[in-house]
Amino acid sequence: MFPLKKILCPTDFSEPSLQAVDAAIEMAGSTGAEILLIHVVSPLPASPHPGALHAFDTAAYLKEMLTYGRESMQRLIKEKIPAKVPVRSLVFAGNPSDEITRAAEDERVDLVVISTHGLTGWRRIVFGSVAERVVRLAPCPVLAIPAPGKAEQ
């Protein structure tokens, strides 16, 4: 295997993404690589009806979601990452696949370890696939970890 110095691992704190974190920990533990965890908060889509969300404070919502992301990231690091594994975290707002690929480029990572959620059919069409876009756009190799239970199907 090529030398790994930095592994980027996106997480949304779901079970599939935590399995990708486990894979990144295992790889970092055996290679001495640093793990760079990233969480991306998707902004709310604009309403097609002006004034429809007039009572909803989107700026406050986004600020709260970023705070939640940072706090959840710190808990994740404390609970899952062994002390001997170097780790940093990033929390951004934006389009997840764009922010992940931008971070991979900016941080010059050697590998992205990302989970798939196993969406198929209309769910995949409606929600898209962050992992698929990252595989296509990342400036480095990407290891896609299948959602639990999806590999057997």
Side-chain angles (χ1 to χ4, degrees):
M1 184 190 273
F2 53 92
L4 292 177
K5 294 182 182 161
K6 199 179 293 185
I7 300 168
L8 180 67
C9 187
T11 183
D12 61 4
F13 311 110
S14 66
E15 186 58 35
S17 76
L18 294 178
Q19 290 210 339
V21 171
D22 289 341
I25 291 168
E26 187 173 329
M27 295 175 88
S30 64
T31 64
E34 173 186 32
I35 296 176
L36 184 56
L37 294 172
I38 183 172
H39 174 70
V40 182
V41 175
S42 296
L44 290 174
S47 172
H49 306 288
L53 296 176
H54 71 297
F56 188 77
D57 187 347
T58 55
Y61 169 81
L62 184 59
K63 182 178 178 183
E64 188 171 321
M65 292 306 296
L66 288 167
T67 298
Y68 168 80
R70 288 184 198 99
E71 290 170 354
S72 297
M73 192 70 82
Q74 291 310 308
R75 272 193 307 278
L76 174 65
I77 290 169
K78 183 179 178 182
E79 294 171 4
K80 264 190 152 343
I81 310 292
K84 66 179 178 149
V85 175
V87 63
R88 288 188 296 132
S89 65
L90 301 169
V91 178
F92 293 113
N95 176 289
S97 56
D98 292 342
E99 294 300 325
I100 292 164
T101 55
R102 184 183 59 76
E105 186 172 334
D106 290 351
E107 293 285 338
R108 296 188 173 134
V109 301
D110 302 302
L111 178 69
V112 175
V113 178
I114 190 168
S115 67
T116 65
H117 285 259
L119 299 177
T120 58
W122 69 268
R123 286 182 179 87
R124 185 165 175 264
I125 293 167
V126 171
F127 297 113
S129 172
V130 172
E132 181 180 321
R133 283 186 49 85
V134 171
V135 166
R136 283 189 294 114
L137 300 173
C140 62
V142 177
L143 174 61
I145 306 296
K150 295 294 180 182
E152 299 90 38
Q153 296 179 0

